[in-house]
Amino acid sequence: MKLEGIYPIVPTPFLDDGCLDFASIERLVGFMAGKQVHGLAIMGALGEGHKLTEGERAAVIAKYRALLPRNMGLVVGVRAPATDPAVMMAVKAQELGADAILLGPHGVQKDAALLGYYQRVSKAVKIPVIVHDYPAVTGISMSVELITRIYESADNISTIKLEDPPTGAKMLALAKTAGTGLKVFGALGGLYALEEMELGAVGIMTGFVYAELLVRMYNWCQAGRWEEAASLFYDFLPLNRWEFQPGIGVSLRKRVLKQLGIFSTARVRHPGPDADDKAVAQLFRIVRHLQQKGYPLADAPA
Amino acid sequence: MKLEGIYPIVPTPFLDDGCLDFASIERLVGFMAGKQVHGLAIMGALGEGHKLTEGERAAVIAKYRALLPRNMGLVVGVRAPATDPAVMMAVKAQELGADAILLGPHGVQKDAALLGYYQRVSKAVKIPVIVHDYPAVTGISMSVELITRIYESADNISTIKLEDPPTGAKMLALAKTAGTGLKVFGALGGLYALEEMELGAVGIMTGFVYAELLVRMYNWCQAGRWEEAASLFYDFLPLNRWEFQPGIGVSLRKRVLKQLGIFSTARVRHPGPDADDKAVAQLFRIVRHLQQKGYPLADAPA
Amino acid sequence: MKLEGIYPIVPTPFLDDGCLDFASIERLVGFMAGKQVHGLAIMGALGEGHKLTEGERAAVIAKYRALLPRNMGLVVGVRAPATDPAVMMAVKAQELGADAILLGPHGVQKDAALLGYYQRVSKAVKIPVIVHDYPAVTGISMSVELITRIYESADNISTIKLEDPPTGAKMLALAKTAGTGLKVFGALGGLYALEEMELGAVGIMTGFVYAELLVRMYNWCQAGRWEEAASLFYDFLPLNRWEFQPGIGVSLRKRVLKQLGIFSTARVRHPGPDADDKAVAQLFRIVRHLQQKGYPLADAPA
Amino acid sequence: MKLEGIYPIVPTPFLDDGCLDFASIERLVGFMAGKQVHGLAIMGALGEGHKLTEGERAAVIAKYRALLPRNMGLVVGVRAPATDPAVMMAVKAQELGADAILLGPHGVQKDAALLGYYQRVSKAVKIPVIVHDYPAVTGISMSVELITRIYESADNISTIKLEDPPTGAKMLALAKTAGTGLKVFGALGGLYALEEMELGAVGIMTGFVYAELLVRMYNWCQAGRWEEAASLFYDFLPLNRWEFQPGIGVSLRKRVLKQLGIFSTARVRHPGPDADDKAVAQLFRIVRHLQQKGYPLADAPA
């Protein structure tokens, strides 16, 4: 299993009574596998990982592991306000079959405290640990210097999920200090996916229901056919931009997945928020625009 | 002068010695007037208004007023940490010929304190005051309830520049509480411009060098030709998205304006930051892609 | 059990290997019971509740419940990033014998989202729920209006732990909107304990190793002997002020408890931080100053 | 003029119509000079410097310079969102006779951007520049490493006003990295003044109306009579703690100065906030308690 390519961050489905919805997970895995993605990332911010109990987390991880084809990687998000619980979560995820940990920072904005956290958690597991650099969600800024020190001091940390825009400038700076050994996944809803691939990103790890578009773009990039990659990216950008709207990203994706018959409900755990009907309608208008351009995208029943 | 349509937020040019560059302002006004925009908004975040002295502010406002054709509106940004200086800035801008004030909040996250600020500043002037709702830059969240109270309690406040995403949901909520008398300008780099126009926005007030694209889209919208508006918007979205990158938006626009011969330098007042060469190159690649699609956009000399 | 009086917030002891230290909990309960406090509050910020696993939480709660004399109340801190996990934590705490829940907010700064959270969690349990209003730690500001709405809309919420300074002004404002039915615990290390008692606080719920001083002050206040209460408070203020230092409060109290023979280690779960030796020495200098004034305080062995 | 000792941060008085109140400034200078303080610091957060226009700033600085006895130092606060305006403000303050600049950071949390700012502003003036390290007010954290680099790279920066608690730990850390050449002023309302003096602080620069108490404590410290210093400090701590309450510190000091006949109004520029009557009454109760202990403090007329 290589930690490269397109890894959709997926939402966690719930039933109407608030319980986990394992049947929807099963449909989702099939849906995504059919798009030829390289793996799935669960329990990220989009996965509402922080809204689950420990038992629920374990059940979800185990379910994905059981369902996922062996050629698809399973990345599990871990983030905790302190090092010990993060270690326990990471160890548990490894036990349950995670291929890699996506580790978000605790909430203390001090370099030494962050370095120690990444060192200790990564040491506690044998699988790769991906640094999650997403200040808009975590509230923590990680400088190029800090990330470089984390990378250099931990054997199983050689990848970062970079969501601190402008991402191009940070990629260039990291390439100077950490070299090419530090691999970068683009994210941020794929808003800068093309430009990140041009700068050497090894893949995109983000929530986008229509992940087949990212897969196709990735394949053009791998083949060095940048013109085709660019044309494709510019075409689908209206759609992934819309999915990525702040605040309602989780709800919007769940509503789309429900309309596509993958999820049985669009329930988001309180305090939500929920996307409005208009936002969903505007999304499908973009889908239909792309269909008219010839993209065979799944649509909601009329 | 109607407060509607496309109002580019423009950057403030400096000479190499750090002084204001009035010749570049003159070229910029001509450049923008040629795009048929409805007005200009100066001294916003993009205009580095907070980096100017009072004397510099006054000189810039007066220059724009002198240069601007009478059919183009002049919106002047005001934001201060307290009410008295905001009043003085607003009064001064009115004296110098501003058609409207774009008023950002002080830094105290209390409804009563914000309401009092908007009431007092708006009372001190006779021209319209636009509420600037941009939490990512100001750090202040304004709820639908608060904005409604501001709107209802101040005679010359009937417009909001809405940059608190998801903007659609907030527009719908404001329409319910404040009614259609409260007019909305979309912004956020135009990232959701089409959808905002669909929901009844009266215009877009944002930084985008290629403002003629927004003007054309706006005209399609006004004509009720939404299909053409959508096609056009989807086409140029890669470009305005790229200009709007967090942190480097000011620098990137200045570098483009310099390459287009409008600004004599791309200098941003410290602490910047500055966009890297790669980001500029990636921008012009998108420009050329649009040219190939038939859009007659200004390009950098080869 | 009345929810009034002096409720020390207590730290959670760990062994050198990082595991829970139940023997130290037992000594701590005896130590605090000997000071005639009215109850204990566990799993607050000082209790490192957010650094424990669910199993550890349950074990700690059960241990305190088993050890605590029946005349002492047990308050259990609950705070989660979403409503469902907070409900589960609260229900579990009730099952394990908590007398009340101290409920901190999730991290979404929206009144409706906060109101819904407090309503749902409080509805899920039968024991009283105390609103924890501590912006410096939670990052969430709760206005007087919001707290009043929470109080009015939930049957078992009639107490607030108020740590949003200036506390006097907020107490006065709450008394106007919510009336005297809303009871207030002072906190913030007891920094304003006297003045809060004067304004009608029903008690103080805060971390202070030398809690017997707060108990004595509380008794003077109850007896209407405000002069004695004030003299006493002014005398011990240097000490509780020092314990309450930002960042190192947890570590400092643990080091004091270790020196007093109550805790077997002063271990704080990473990322700490740890108090320095000098801060501990400066603390005991204040203790000795109070001893010389005639206060029979426990001291570290020379 | 030595940059050592007790430097009260003073509030800026306004008349009822909102204009500057120079007569009150004159009384204040006499009032403070009578307490034998070593200098005054104006235009800090307490001085509402950010609520004044440039013209008002200049008038206030000139007034203090004209009034201040030559043996008293004049420190002028400067803080701006960018480097150029900070340079201009600092140069202007120097022209008007400031003995030193107290320089707060811009709002960009990046080490390189902060280092450049301190270097450029300090280079633009010949008088000493004091680093203002006060995250609770500025929102900017400055690490020990950053402060050390600033200190080492700017000739006229050798002093810091340290308000990042716990202050003792940071003083110890700075002593290790920067050595004894970096001088520290304590602040934070004098809440940790004794302990900071013990650790080598060269003085206290903070708002405290009863500054004679800090002067007397400072003199005991200078004489090596730590017992007397401690007794005195513990006695007055209830008072300076009360003055230092978050949010209402400016208003409370102005109300006290008004009651003492120094200021003609207690007006704070909107959005305030204003201290309530009860808080003022509670303050004078502490004053009377100290009077009964034998301290000859100024009191409000009965």
Side-chain angles (χ1 to χ4, degrees), chain D residues 76-90:
Chain D
V76 175
V78 167
R79 185 154 71 99
T83 304
D84 280 1
V87 164
M88 295 176 209
M89 291 167 78

Side-chain angles (χ1 to χ4, degrees), chain A residues 9-74:
Chain A
I9 302 264
V10 287
T12 302
F14 300 103
L15 296 169
D16 280 324
D17 64 2
C19 291
L20 292 166
D21 175 4
F22 294 103
S24 288
I25 291 180
E26 193 158 348
R27 283 189 297 271
L28 181 64
V29 169
F31 180 72
M32 285 296 177
K35 295 171 190 292
Q36 311 294 332
V37 302
H38 304 84
L40 293 181
I42 64 175
M43 304 286 165
L46 185 62
E48 293 173 272
H50 58 299
K51 299 182 178 178
L52 303 187
T53 63
E54 292 173 20
E56 289 175 329
R57 271 184 67 85
V60 170
I61 301 170
K63 184 71 181 172
Y64 273 100
R65 183 67 289 166
L67 292 166
L68 223 57
R70 258 296 145 193
N71 66 326
M72 281 175 64
L74 179 62

